[in-house]
Amino acid sequence: MGCKAEELRQIPLFALLDDEEIAVLAAQVEIKKFAARQRIYKLGEPGKHAYVMMSGTVRVTTVDRDHQEVLVDEPRDGEFFGFASMLEDTPHQTTALAMEETTCVEVSRDDIAALLQQKPMAGMDMLTVVSRQFHASQELVRLRASRNSNDVIEEEMSFGDRIADTVARFGGSWTFILLFGAVLLVYASANMVLKGRAWDPYPFILLNLFLSMLAAIQAPVIMMSQNRQDTKDRVRGELDYDVNLRAESEIQNLSGKLNMLTEKIGDVDDLLREHLKLKEQLPGR
């Protein structure tokens, strides 16, 4: 579907273009509409076109070495996605999926070339968008490579989880044991001394009721904390696996480079030996 000049003016990237340039660009680009859950392009497809968001929601994802889907970007209105692959004319390195009914401007290399002929400074705006996406990708890689297990666990903790951990931590401390023992000793001693005036005489039925209620509440809270500990151990294990996988990949890369260096050294040795043989075969040697 064709694009109107007024629609392009709503896109920040094209806001600096004059009427004539907007008209030239509007005659070339097209408006594409995508239904909810419709794939715009997928990883590995030819990067013939890039897209500029006009409305809707799009998730741009890729797949890491562990075959896990990683969110790369959620472009807002006026932002590009698929731009780098379109400029390089290479297959897309990401997958773009419309999460709801979405409208985009479809742009090709020819469209960009015509635009830059009319408005060279528009290239600076586009380079700004590309650099922003590049920095976001760098930040994503940095965070995934150096994630702290404690930070990940803290982010996933709910208010109830924090209460459970606090109760379990206090209930398993010497402070709780000594304090609880002192309260029991004072309670029992007071009722023994008061005898007939005691509010809970021996065998301390009211105290047993309180202790049963406390145990009934404390036991499931401690179990919740134990489940949290299992979750923490699993997160730490997954992060350790990621680190080991990256370390293995780096070791393989270094091993390959060492093998190449060894082969080159061997080739140099062969050449030197051939050179020495030729010198020995020369007349007058």
Side-chain angles (χ1 to χ4, degrees):
M1 183 173 64
C3 181
K4 298 180 180 179
E6 293 76 11
E7 294 174 324
L8 289 181
R9 287 197 178 281
Q10 304 303 317
I11 300 174
L13 187 61
F14 305 136
L16 299 179
L17 303 180
D18 56 33
D19 294 340
E20 182 180 350
E21 292 159 349
I22 283 286
V24 172
L25 186 61
Q28 295 176 342
V29 301
E30 294 185 0
I31 297 293
K32 294 288 186 179
K33 293 188 176 181
F34 302 95
R37 308 302 301 178
Q38 181 179 353
R39 188 174 61 199
I40 300 173
Y41 61 78
K42 69 176 182 179
L43 179 70
E45 285 186 348
K48 299 296 183 183
H49 298 93
Y51 298 87
V52 186
M53 287 288 298
M54 295 188 68
S55 64
T57 304
V58 172
R59 282 173 56 91
V60 181
T61 60
T62 188
V63 177
D64 62 12
R65 299 175 69 93
D66 301 331
H67 304 288
Q68 299 289 329
E69 186 179 71
V70 180
L71 178 63
V72 176
D73 192 17
E74 287 183 329
R76 298 186 295 271
D77 292 355
E79 293 185 345
F80 273 101
F81 58 96
F83 192 73
S85 297
M86 181 269 292
L87 286 180
E88 295 179 347
D89 197 18
T90 57
H92 285 294
Q93 302 298 311
T94 57
T95 297
L97 181 69
M99 304 305 297
E100 59 185 37
E101 187 172 344
T102 301
T103 303
C104 299
V105 177
E106 187 179 68
V107 184
S108 67
R109 286 170 58 92
D110 295 336
D111 299 334
I112 298 298
L115 173 63
L116 294 180
Q117 289 177 357
Q118 296 288 331
K119 188 72 173 180
M121 290 304 297
M124 295 300 298
D125 296 327
M126 296 180 183
L127 288 175
T128 301
V129 175
V130 174
S131 64
R132 188 181 305 152
Q133 292 183 343
F134 179 69
H135 288 158
S137 300
Q138 284 184 323
E139 182 70 9
L140 175 67
V141 172
R142 186 185 67 81
L143 291 175
R144 286 181 63 83
S146 60
R147 287 182 300 174
N148 187 299
S149 59
N150 294 324
D151 293 339
V152 175
I153 292 168
E154 286 291 331
E155 291 174 359
E156 296 177 353
M157 285 182 65
S158 64
F159 181 70
D161 293 332
R162 298 179 189 277
I163 292 179
D165 287 349
T166 302
V167 171
R169 185 166 51 251
F170 177 71
S173 65
W174 277 107
T175 301
F176 174 78
I177 294 174
L178 295 175
L179 182 62
F180 194 66
V183 171
L184 291 179
L185 182 62
V186 171
Y187 188 94
S189 300
N191 281 280
M192 293 289 290
V193 171
L194 292 175
K195 296 183 179 180
R197 293 177 297 169
W199 69 89
D200 187 20
Y202 182 83
F204 312 121
I205 297 175
L206 182 60
L207 177 61
N208 287 327
L209 176 62
F210 287 153
L211 293 178
S212 299
M213 294 172 61
L214 177 63
I217 296 174
Q218 192 177 27
V221 173
I222 293 175
M223 292 181 64
M224 289 171 58
S225 181
Q226 291 177 344
N227 292 334
R228 288 273 309 131
Q229 187 61 45
D230 293 340
T231 302
K232 293 177 183 179
D233 293 339
R234 186 173 64 253
V235 170
R236 291 191 178 100
E238 291 174 353
L239 293 178
D240 288 342
Y241 173 76
D242 289 342
V243 172
N244 293 335
L245 191 64
R246 291 187 179 92
E248 181 182 358
S249 176
E250 291 297 328
I251 291 172
Q252 289 177 348
N253 290 336
L254 288 174
S255 178
K257 293 178 180 178
L258 287 174
N259 290 335
M260 291 177 59
L261 183 60
T262 302
E263 291 176 359
K264 291 181 178 180
I265 292 174
D267 293 339
V268 172
D269 289 340
D270 292 340
L271 289 174
L272 288 174
R273 282 193 290 267
E274 291 293 333
H275 180 67
L276 291 175
K277 288 180 181 180
L278 291 174
K279 289 180 67 176
E280 291 175 356
Q281 295 173 0
L282 287 175
R285 298 292 297 177

